[in-house]
Amino acid sequence: MAKPTGFLEYPRETPKRRPVDQRVHDWLEVYEEFPIEKLQTQAARCMDCGIPFCHQGCPLGNIIPDWNDLVYRNRWRDAIERLHATNNFPEFTGRLCPAPCEAACVLGINADPVTIKQVELEIIEYAWQAGWVRPQPASHRTGKTVAIIGSGPAGLACAQQLARAGHEVTVFERDDRIGGLLRYGIPDFKMEKRFLDRRLAQMEAEGVVFRPGVNVGKDIDARELLEEFDALCLAGGATQPRDLQVPGRELEGVYFAMQYLPMQNRRNAGDEIPDEEFISAKDKRVIILGGGDTGADCLGTALRQGARQVLQYEILPRPPATRPPEQPWPLYPNIYRVSSAHEEGGERDYCIMTTRLSGENGRLTTLHAVRVEFVNEDGRQVMREIPGSEFSEPVDLLLLAMGFLGPEKGGLLEQLGVQLTERGNVWADENKMTSVPGVFTAGDMTRGQSLIVWAIAEGRAAARGIDQYLMGETLLPIN
């Protein structure tokens, strides 16, 4: 283990965030640098448990105690090799994953858990700076071709694994740039796009062909790809947003989060978007419906754009401050969390249900809502409106961040005729193959809305299934 008494000697410490009055005026990442000496001290807190439950908490099966020990001992080259053995993109997960591994840390039973996520991030950044992250082109080519539809973390992980196995891989993306939600869903203050671009350059050097601006199912019939390629992988995500079914929804000024967030990312990338087309929160009263990560992304973006006021409403109750009894260790608990965006401003409120919207001359001016409570009826939670709690709030811009309902139907899925689950996701067997032979699936498209770490794990699993299908055997890892 790193240091036998480290968890007794050192308190948990994480990087500081840049001052709010500084960071809300730019789109740079919010965290300050974390000195290597402090990181090694944090790695020393790892207990190297007899049964490391952090493995169970991580969908990728990251070998966490090993690379904690290696960082503590200043063996960075060995640490990145151990980390890359299970995770293609630790620079993404180290910034964006909510770290279920830390929730499962044994030290976290009665103390603060190890800063696993930060150690992971520092390992990969150290490796990039040292020049150790280089293209790994296959030593031989199989002659087999694979088309991957969708360039989010699941599609990219699948593509890299298959390219390194020697297959000819082409990634199709309907947006004008590669990256999926990493590119246009994640604000730059959470992950600057230069970190994505350097990894894409590595993948291109490994032989992956990227084809942005191609909407499979619309620009190309998916059945044509079945004839052209030996295998397909569907990794288009769960991009069907949950809508707000209330009177007044049609008013101007109501947008889905994924209509709003990409525009700012495009401007940050240098795209010219006319002001009359750009959705901006500047000088506006903004209400965000949805209390999850997407809602927080909208909050941080609206504050940087200069919103006059931002309210964030959630229909569910406020989560407890500490782990609830029904979510015992090592489960990932639903607790009250304060993101960097919440530090920056805005107000959060809970148990609020929107009843209708109203406006003038076709434009939104007011949100009407009622407070609700959740009561136990025959062992299940039932939502009830609280009589007399109706209220209205002036609003200029309403952003819907209420989650997603699965993959978009029609087009691609309809052309291929793949079987769907009861929840509307793409069905897959234990090898990630759909009901159509040679067509595989990975990520949110089959799993439903989930975490980035699950997307990468799904992509790696699909790559293994595809390699097995094409070659009759595979040496690609299960995780």
Side-chain angles (χ1 to χ4, degrees), residues 263 292 310 348:
M263 285 194 173
V310 185
R348 284 193 275 183

Side-chain angles (χ1 to χ4, degrees), residues 210-229:
F210 293 119
R211 292 191 59 186
V214 179
N215 189 345
V216 177
K218 183 177 180 181
D219 301 329
I220 298 178
D221 193 299
R223 290 164 292 198
E224 294 180 20
L225 295 185
L226 269 178
E227 297 177 1
E228 182 180 351
F229 292 86

